[in-house]
Amino acid sequence: MKSKIPVSLIVLILVNLLPILGVIYADWNVFEIVALYWFENVVIGVVNVLKILTCCPGSELSDEDKKLPEYLRPSSSGGVLHHLSKIFLVPFFSFHYGGFCLVHGLFVFVLLGSDSGGDPFSSMGKWFGSFLNSDTKWFVLSICASHLFSYFYNYIGKGEFRRTTPGELMHAPYGRVVVLHLVIIFGAFAIAAIGSSVGILILLIIGKIMVDAKLHLRAHHKDVVIEIG
């Protein structure tokens, strides 16, 4: 029996197809693609902070409340200590995950950014200064919209905030980011070794979409199995 594809997964796939247009019509290279995927990590971290701030685990609903849509159901206070813990956890996560993203970004810009004279901070600065004035900004905005849509659709709309603790959210992004970007980085190294072409770059993008889709289903739709064929 085939399962319906979740709406949030469709949005994710459509947004991640946009770099193909960049490769075909704007001559994006492997560095630009990987740098944009790295920036997605920052977006994931910001959304995760929002999740930590809004999680309210352990709520008990009455039969009447269960008939209401998730966004209209009353939330549990979670206890004073639960909310006080966020005062420590949010800054700690921001510092730790921010450092993780910085190191990862330096790694990407050192190995793939060829226009900085070996200075990753210079390469990173140039990239941040240019992407707002180029067509890459549309992909960045789309990525932000995609993760915000998933936040409201899955986390709020489907009540994930009731079943998630701040402690779980503290380490939630790391597994996805590490797995996904190991695939991307090794793919980028292979492309750099054999030479870049439109077809190979598109294969890299498709590979990222496949891994991202699987991780998305694992995180939000554990009961969904999509049959192909």
Side-chain angles (χ1 to χ4, degrees):
M1 180 177 180
K2 296 185 179 181
S3 302
K4 293 182 179 180
I5 301 177
V7 175
S8 58
L9 179 59
I10 295 174
V11 172
L12 180 147
I13 293 173
L14 291 176
V15 168
N16 277 277
L17 286 173
L18 291 178
I20 293 179
L21 299 178
V23 169
I24 296 174
Y25 297 107
D27 297 322
W28 289 5
N29 57 36
V30 64
F31 167 68
E32 289 172 317
I33 294 172
V34 175
L36 286 168
Y37 288 154
W38 165 77
F39 187 76
E40 184 179 7
N41 294 346
V42 179
V43 177
I44 290 171
V46 172
V47 173
N48 199 60
V49 168
L50 187 59
K51 289 181 178 180
I52 295 174
L53 290 172
T54 54
C55 71
C56 290
S59 58
E60 294 293 336
L61 300 176
S62 66
D63 291 337
E64 290 75 16
D65 290 334
K66 290 179 180 179
K67 296 177 182 179
L68 297 172
E70 283 285 353
Y71 62 89
L72 291 179
R73 296 177 183 179
S75 62
S76 168
S77 64
V80 175
L81 291 179
H82 161 76
H83 291 290
L84 287 177
S85 69
K86 298 177 183 180
I87 298 175
F88 166 76
L89 293 177
V90 168
F92 180 80
F93 171 80
S94 301
F95 177 79
H96 190 274
Y97 186 81
F100 172 80
C101 286
L102 177 61
V103 172
H104 183 193
L106 292 175
F107 181 77
V108 168
F109 282 84
V110 164
L111 296 178
L112 298 175
S114 60
D115 61 342
S116 60
D119 181 1
F121 291 100
S122 175
S123 180
M124 196 176 292
K126 290 179 181 179
W127 185 83
F128 273 109
S130 64
F131 90 90
L132 289 175
N133 298 315
S134 65
D135 45 21
T136 56
K137 65 177 177 290
W138 299 113
F139 177 66
V140 171
L141 292 174
S142 298
I143 281 293
C144 293
S146 172
H147 285 282
L148 284 174
F149 176 82
S150 181
Y151 167 78
F152 286 108
Y153 181 82
N154 292 306
Y155 191 72
I156 300 299
K158 294 194 171 183
E160 290 181 3
F161 71 98
R162 300 178 187 277
R163 304 183 294 271
T164 310
T165 65
E168 292 172 336
L169 290 169
M170 284 290 291
H171 58 79
Y174 292 96
R176 178 182 183 275
V177 167
V178 170
V179 172
L180 191 59
H181 282 266
L182 279 176
V183 174
I184 293 170
I185 291 297
F186 281 115
F189 286 162
I191 292 173
I194 65 178
S196 178
S197 69
V198 171
I200 293 177
L201 291 175
I202 290 176
L203 285 177
L204 174 65
I205 295 168
I206 292 174
K208 190 265 187 184
I209 293 173
M210 293 174 65
V211 175
D212 205 4
K214 183 175 182 178
L215 294 173
H216 181 85
L217 286 175
R218 182 182 299 174
H220 302 292
H221 304 278
K222 298 178 177 63
D223 57 336
V224 175
V225 176
I226 300 174
E227 296 181 6
I228 301 175

